[in-house]
């Protein structure tokens, strides 16, 4: 009973606050003097958040559903034992679970807690933001049936599988993850009397929703900090200066990779954004934007740090960076696409 | 903070985020933040937030919440978008954002498919983006000289321009404002200096071929300039 009163009270408070806020907005609009940059920052931040939050939400929902419907044995049975086959399977798993770079992170962690091999999980994490039907379709829509589409898919898969194989040297997935969150999350399934995949359909769905809500809070704060940093950098760092640097086979690649990290846009639409640079930038640098951006950007790295050990993140980002750089500079120098 | 109180706060925030997303969509100010083609995504996100919030509320009332011990301060970080979203008045990007983003004079956007659309479009319905594109794609932009132009945008005083010129600009947003780029057309008028930066104007006149950074660039020799309110969709969606 106490709880019902509590929640009604808080709900009433929220409504009052909302009314106060609406009044305050009028007052603010009437000439509350904040610097223009503050409004720009707020608008860009909210833009990134509004666009990315639904994707993260769908990822945590997928994670909740996996928790209550997929048991450990199924994953062991379905996934190949061999590291190379596992990494390739992980790289292609995005076609089964079409999530983008925000959603894939809670889902990958969930798979790891269910016993997925490191190579498979890391390959899935890095590849699925590109190797999934939605992103393939949007890249096709932007560039058509041509070299950019093929190279984007090929390079992303290659880099994801390679980095995955490096992590195959680590025999247990648990060693990649940050220790504390793993314990918290397995809290629900550690209870052997009530395993997560038990109960009626309604009970399971309800549990999936509770997990998704909790996980949104856990991951959401890093999405928010990442979006704030990206918005701040965009408000302060002149992109014009960055773009003015960009020519030459090596420099153009570095500039476009920096821009991918800075913009932190979702992989489902980055193909359209990159179109603006076709013509002024080398093809290799456009590819580096399309391959590196989905794997590494400010908000993704913030989310990685929440889930993985710092060392894991460092290796993952560094390897991805080097491989993308080498491949796209090679393309610039040797293949005139 | 005790566990139940923490759970209650999370519940209220999930419901708040859901309300925020649906409210932005219904009030139309969503277009200050993202491209209109992602409206369905925000609606979906709003409903999922509400669903999760209701599940959390039910869990709280029956005290069967999931046992998560994520640090308590996380709740207050999730409050940041709620506070900024509800407290700060919605304001689209304007010419003050142009200082770091710069003006895009080369619009590769849309590629070959676009130029067919452009041919079918009457010249007085073209936006500033369409005009910049027309000049990018035309082998000889002089064919546009003398055509009637009718555009809406905000005033931006660029240091590269003459005393009788300003830019009428718009932001083009492909996905969300994070990828916004500015495009603009030069307006020629004797009263250029009287128009303050950021004022939204409706300019009509005739197209002439000018130059910016050594490249042919569209100029409108202004017949009339009227101040207008900010359009409901301040950005162009390429």
């Amino acid at each position: 009973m106490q709880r019902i009163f509590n929640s009604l009270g808080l709900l009433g408070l929220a409504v009052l606050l909302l009314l106060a806020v609406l009044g305050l907005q009028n007052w603010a609009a009437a000439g509350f003097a904040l610097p223009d940059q503050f409004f720009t920052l707020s608008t860009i931040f909210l833009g990134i958040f509004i666009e990315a939050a639904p994707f993260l939400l769908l990822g945590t929902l997928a994670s909740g559903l996996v928790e209550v419907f997929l048991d450990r044995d199924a994953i062991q049975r379905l996934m190949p034992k061999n590291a190379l086959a596992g990494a390739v399977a992980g790289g292609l798993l995005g076609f089964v679970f079409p999530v983008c770079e925000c959603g894939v992170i809670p889902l990958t962690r969930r798979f790891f807690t269910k016993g997925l091999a490191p190579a498979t999980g890391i390959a899935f994490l890095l590849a699925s933001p590109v190797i999934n039907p939605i992103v393939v379709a949007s890249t096709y829509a932007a560039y058509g049936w041509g070299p950019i589409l093929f190279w984007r898919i090929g390079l992303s898969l290659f880099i994801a599988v390679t980095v995955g194989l490096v992590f195959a040297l680590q025999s247990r997935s648990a060693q990649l993850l940050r220790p504390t969150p793993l314990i918290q999350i397995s809290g629900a399934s550690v209870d052997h009397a009530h395993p997560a995949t038990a109960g009626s359909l309604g009970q399971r769905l309800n549990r999936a929703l509770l997990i998704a809500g909790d996980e949104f809070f856990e991951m959401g704060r890093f999405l928010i900090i990442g979006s704030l940093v990206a918005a701040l950098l965009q408000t302060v760092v002149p992109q014009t200066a960055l773009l003015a640097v960009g020519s030459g086979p090596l420099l153009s690649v570095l500039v476009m990779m920096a821009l991918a990290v800075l913009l932190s846009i979702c992989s489902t639409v980055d193909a359209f954004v990159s179109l603006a640079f076709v013509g002024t930038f080398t093809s290799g640098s456009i590819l580096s934007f399309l391959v590196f951006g989905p794997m590494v950007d400010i908000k993704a790295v913030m989310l990685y740090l929440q889930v993985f050990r710092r060392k894991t993140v460092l290796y993952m980002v560094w390897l991805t960076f080097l491989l993308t750089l080498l491949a796209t500079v090679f393309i610039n120098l040797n293949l005139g696409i | 903070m005790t566990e139940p109180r923490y759970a209650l706060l999370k519940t209220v925030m999930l419901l708040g985020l859901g309300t925020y997303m649906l409210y932005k969509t219904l009030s139309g100010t969503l277009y200050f933040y993202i491209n209109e083609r992602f409206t369905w995504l925000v609606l979906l996100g709003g409903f999922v937030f509400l669903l999760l919030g209701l599940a959390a509320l039910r869990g709280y009332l029956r005290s069967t919440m999931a046992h998560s011990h994520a640090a308590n301060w996380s709740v207050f970080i999730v409050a940041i978008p709620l506070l900024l979203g509800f407290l700060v008045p919605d304001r689209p990007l304007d010419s003050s954002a142009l200082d770091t983003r710069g003006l895009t004079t080369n619009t590769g956007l849309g590629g070959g498919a676009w130029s067919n659309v452009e041919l079918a479009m009457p010249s007085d319905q073209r936006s500033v983006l369409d005009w910049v594109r027309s000049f990018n794609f035309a082998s000889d932009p002089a064919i546009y000289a003398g055509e009637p132009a009718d555009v809406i945008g905000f005033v931006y005083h660029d240091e590269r321009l003459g005393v009788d010129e300003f830019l009428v600009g718009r932001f083009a947003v492909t996905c969300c404002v994070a990828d916004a780029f500015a495009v603009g057309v030069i307006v020629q008028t004797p009263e250029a200096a009287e128009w303050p930066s950021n004022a939204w104007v409706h300019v009509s006149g005739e197209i002439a071929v000018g130059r910016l950074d050594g490249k042919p660039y569209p100029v409108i020799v202004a017949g009339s300039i009227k101040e207008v309110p900010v359009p409901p969709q301040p950005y162009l969606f390429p």
Side-chain angles (χ1 to χ4, degrees):
Chain A
M1 214 46 203
Q2 178 63 33
R3 296 195 164 192
I4 296 179
F5 280 127
N6 268 351
S7 44
L8 283 180
L10 208 60
L11 217 64
L13 206 67
V15 170
L16 278 179
L17 209 66
L18 198 69
L19 289 176
V21 157
L22 290 178
L24 206 66
Q25 264 202 356
N26 288 335
W27 166 71
F32 183 35
L34 276 168
D36 286 336
Q37 278 84 354
F38 174 78
F39 289 97
T40 306
L41 176 84
S42 165
T43 303
I44 295 175
F45 163 72
L46 285 171
I48 302 178
F49 178 77
I50 291 174
E51 183 79 43
F55 284 113
L56 179 63
L57 208 52
L58 294 179
T60 62
L61 205 57
S63 158
L65 292 174
V66 164
E67 171 69 24
V68 299
F69 285 112
L70 204 64
D71 53 32
R72 295 181 71 96
D73 301 341
I75 290 182
Q76 307 284 5
R77 210 170 47 242
L78 291 172
M79 283 294 144
K81 295 277 177 295
N82 172 285
L84 178 63
V88 173
L92 296 173
L93 207 57
F95 277 107
V96 186
F97 297 95
V99 281
C100 72
E101 75 236 48
C102 292
V104 71
I105 296 166
L107 191 57
T108 307
R109 180 176 65 176
R110 181 68 58 193
F111 281 137
F112 276 150
T113 64
K114 294 247 172 188
L116 191 70
T120 316
I122 295 288
F124 172 62
L125 182 74
L126 293 176
S128 72
V130 170
I131 315 288
N132 77 55
I134 301 162
V135 176
V136 170
S138 77
T139 312
Y140 170 73
Y143 285 96
W145 202 248
I148 295 275
L149 176 66
F150 304 144
W151 277 105
R152 181 178 201 192
I153 296 173
L155 265 185
S156 301
L157 195 58
F158 170 75
I159 291 172
V161 170
T162 310
V163 179
L165 283 177
V166 171
F167 279 98
L169 302 173
Q170 195 83 358
S171 54
R172 293 188 51 230
S173 329
Q175 286 167 313
L176 303 174
L177 299 173
R178 268 181 48 171
T180 36
L182 184 64
I183 297 161
Q184 292 163 7
I185 282 304
S186 52
S189 49
V190 150
D191 190 355
H192 291 293
H194 306 281
T197 50
S200 71
L201 183 67
Q203 282 171 332
R204 286 200 213 179
L205 283 178
N206 191 44
R207 202 153 49 218
L209 292 180
L210 288 179
I211 291 171
D214 254 9
E215 219 161 47
F216 177 80
F217 271 89
E218 202 190 329
M219 305 259 160
R221 54 197 169 143
F222 291 91
L223 173 69
I224 289 164
I225 295 173
S227 313
L228 266 180
V229 173
L232 187 69
L233 284 176
Q234 283 204 22
T235 321
V236 179
V237 178
Q239 286 175 42
T240 36
L242 191 63
L243 294 179
V245 180
S247 59
L250 175 65
L251 218 52
S252 63
V253 168
L254 289 174
V255 166
M256 286 307 275
M257 284 166 99
L259 195 70
V261 172
L262 183 71
L263 289 183
S264 287
I265 43 175
C266 188
S267 60
T268 45
V269 291
D270 60 355
F272 296 107
V273 174
S274 70
L275 273 176
F277 304 102
V278 175
T280 38
F281 275 76
T282 57
S283 303
S285 70
I286 305 275
L287 262 175
S288 73
F289 181 88
L290 293 175
V291 170
F292 189 64
M295 299 186 186
V296 177
D297 65 31
I298 295 172
K299 63 178 160 46
V301 169
M302 291 304 294
L303 288 170
Y304 289 156
L305 284 170
Q306 164 66 6
V307 171
F308 297 104
R309 285 173 194 273
R310 203 170 295 168
K311 219 170 167 183
T312 315
V313 178
L314 195 71
Y315 280 129
M316 216 157 61
V317 170
W318 184 234
L319 279 172
T320 309
F321 172 77
L322 282 183
L323 286 171
T324 315
L325 187 71
L326 282 176
T328 51
V329 171
F330 178 81
I331 287 173
N332 269 345
L333 292 175
N334 296 296
L335 310 166
I337 59 165
Chain B
M1 211 168 0
T2 61
E3 183 80 4
R5 203 167 287 175
Y6 176 58
L8 182 57
L9 211 53
K10 287 209 285 195
T11 305
V12 171
M13 286 203 195
L14 284 173
L15 293 174
L17 284 171
T19 313
Y20 174 69
M21 294 214 158
L22 297 183
Y23 169 68
K24 286 287 118 172
T25 315
L26 294 177
S27 71
T29 43
L30 185 65
Y31 303 128
F32 289 10
Y33 302 99
I34 63 163
N35 188 311
E36 61 185 349
R37 82 171 100 120
F38 297 107
T39 311
W40 64 272
L41 179 72
V42 180
L43 273 179
L44 179 68
F47 281 118
V48 175
F49 269 127
L50 287 184
L51 187 68
L52 297 188
L54 290 177
L57 183 66
R58 188 160 159 257
Y60 169 75
L61 292 176
R62 300 183 172 185
S63 53
T64 56
M65 49 224 167
H67 294 286
S68 131
H69 305 280
N72 285 353
W73 53 273
S74 70
V75 176
F76 297 102
I77 290 189
V78 179
I80 295 175
L82 274 175
L83 288 177
L84 284 181
F86 279 117
L87 267 179
V88 179
D90 297 301
R91 213 170 96 173
L93 288 188
D94 56 26
S95 65
S96 63
L98 238 160
D99 297 336
T100 55
R101 309 188 85 87
L103 191 77
T104 310
T105 53
N106 183 2
T107 56
L109 276 153
W114 178 80
S115 47
N116 298 326
V117 182
E118 169 264 315
L119 285 173
M121 199 187 299
S123 62
D124 56 357
Q125 283 177 21
R126 290 182 198 162
S127 66
V128 288
L129 180 61
D130 296 327
W131 278 116
V132 174
R133 278 172 167 171
S134 301
F135 271 59
N136 279 169
F137 283 102
S139 47
D140 179 18
I143 54 167
Y144 295 112
E147 286 197 21
D150 196 68
V151 298
I152 291 177
F154 57 78
V155 174
Y156 180 67
H157 290 283
D158 191 295
E159 55 196 18
R160 289 170 291 185
L161 301 181
V163 283
D164 61 340
E165 293 173 332
F166 65 77
L167 277 161
V168 57
R170 288 292 275 270
F171 280 99
V173 170
T174 314
C175 160
C176 70
V177 283
D179 65 61
F181 63 93
V183 285
V185 173
I186 299 171
V187 175
Q188 236 168 41
T189 169
E191 56 193 55
E194 290 164 33
W195 288 98
S197 278
N198 258 344
W200 278 83
V201 288
H202 180 169
V203 180
S204 42
E206 260 182 20
I207 289 288
V209 182
R211 295 193 92 74
L212 191 69
D213 292 342
K215 283 186 292 187
Y217 204 76
V219 169
I220 300 175
V221 182
S224 84
I225 303 175
K226 284 191 299 260
E227 182 150 14
V228 289
V230 182
Q233 289 197 3
Y235 308 132
L236 300 171
F237 301 132

